[in-house]
Amino acid sequence: RVLKEHDRHGALARFSIISVNYTLMTFAWSILAATELIIMAASPEIDVHGIVMRVIIAVAVTGGSFAAIFALDFFADNSTGTTHKVIVKIILAKAILIGFSWEHCFQVALETMGANFNEYAALVTLLLSIMLCIVVFPAYLWYIMPKVSELREAREAEFGAED
């Protein structure tokens, strides 16, 4: 009986985490789509699916998100409890939004470069994607992951373990 009670709470906690992450992703996609529509309406002369439009969208999203994160971080530093957790989740959603916008930019760039090779376009795009991973993944492991772990440990030491 105790085990079943524990499983139910564990399942409820997992469902809660999945729901929050789903909501964050939906928020990020919605903001990205709204930004795309606004920029496309303001600049109808630029090719909607071209690299120039994707770079404009990525820069706009990054700039707007940076300003929002800066303001939200100020509020997060001056809040506690549930309010602090919610603000941190919104900041995470903004980070996901920035990632999505630049991912679109890279995807269009890879497709554009691959398109120059006619019948081998898909193969060239695949090879370029693999080369990008070969360059980026080690940098991620060597520089980003250690910094994330360091910051996570510092946060846990300051605030205690969360989520």
Side-chain angles (χ1 to χ4, degrees), residues 101-148:
S101 66
W102 285 104
E103 186 275 332
H104 280 155
C105 195
F106 276 98
Q107 183 63 36
V108 171
L110 289 174
E111 289 173 359
T112 301
M113 288 189 287
N116 293 328
F117 293 91
N118 299 327
E119 67 269 4
Y120 301 108
L123 179 62
V124 170
T125 301
L126 175 65
L127 291 174
L128 289 170
S129 298
I130 291 170
M131 287 175 31
L132 181 64
C133 289
I134 288 170
V135 171
V136 172
F137 191 67
Y140 175 77
L141 291 176
W142 293 333
Y143 301 106
I144 296 173
M145 282 303 295
K147 188 65 173 178
V148 168

Side-chain angles (χ1 to χ4, degrees), residues 17-82:
I17 290 168
I18 290 168
S19 297
V20 167
N21 289 335
Y22 177 79
T23 304
L24 292 175
M25 297 280 268
T26 302
F27 175 76
W29 277 113
S30 299
I31 296 297
L32 181 60
T35 303
E36 288 175 355
L37 289 173
I38 290 168
I39 291 175
M40 288 176 194
S43 305
E45 67 279 354
I46 299 175
D47 178 24
V48 173
H49 302 290
I51 189 71
V52 173
M53 180 61 79
R54 291 292 159 198
V55 170
I56 291 170
I57 290 168
V59 169
V61 163
T62 301
S65 294
F66 175 76
I69 288 170
F70 187 76
L72 287 168
D73 187 51
F74 172 78
F75 291 118
D77 289 344
N78 296 308
S79 65
T80 58
T82 304

